[in-house]
């Protein structure tokens, strides 16, 4: 099954949503601990690695 490519608007929406959720987590938590920072970094990896691979694959197809 072929993978669908993400459009620029989909990438922007995912990035904005992740940023808003991280802001809410930091703004409304009583204190910022190592665990909070760890989960933000882990979620960033989960969100941005597939986006990076998708964009990199899109650029290599054009060459």
């Amino acid at each position: 099954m072929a993978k669908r490519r993400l459009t620029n608007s989909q990438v922007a929406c995912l990035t904005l949503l992740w940023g808003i959720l991280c802001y809410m987590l930091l703004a409304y938590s009583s204190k910022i601990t190592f665990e909070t920072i760890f989960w933000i970094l882990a979620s960033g990896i989960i969100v941005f690695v597939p986006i990076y691979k998708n964009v990199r694959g899109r650029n290599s197809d054009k060459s």
Side-chain angles (χ1 to χ4, degrees), residues 13-61:
C13 286
L14 285 171
T15 303
L16 231 78
L17 180 62
W18 180 82
I20 290 169
L21 291 173
C22 287
Y23 169 76
M24 289 174 59
L25 177 67
L26 291 172
Y28 298 121
S29 64
S30 58
K31 60 182 177 178
I32 299 171
T33 62
F34 172 75
E35 187 176 356
T36 306
I37 301 300
F38 171 77
W39 287 117
I40 289 174
L41 291 174
S43 68
I45 291 170
I46 291 169
V47 169
F48 291 111
V49 166
I51 289 175
Y52 171 75
K53 286 184 177 181
N54 193 294
V55 170
R56 189 185 68 190
R58 188 181 340 157
N59 290 340
S60 68
D61 289 345

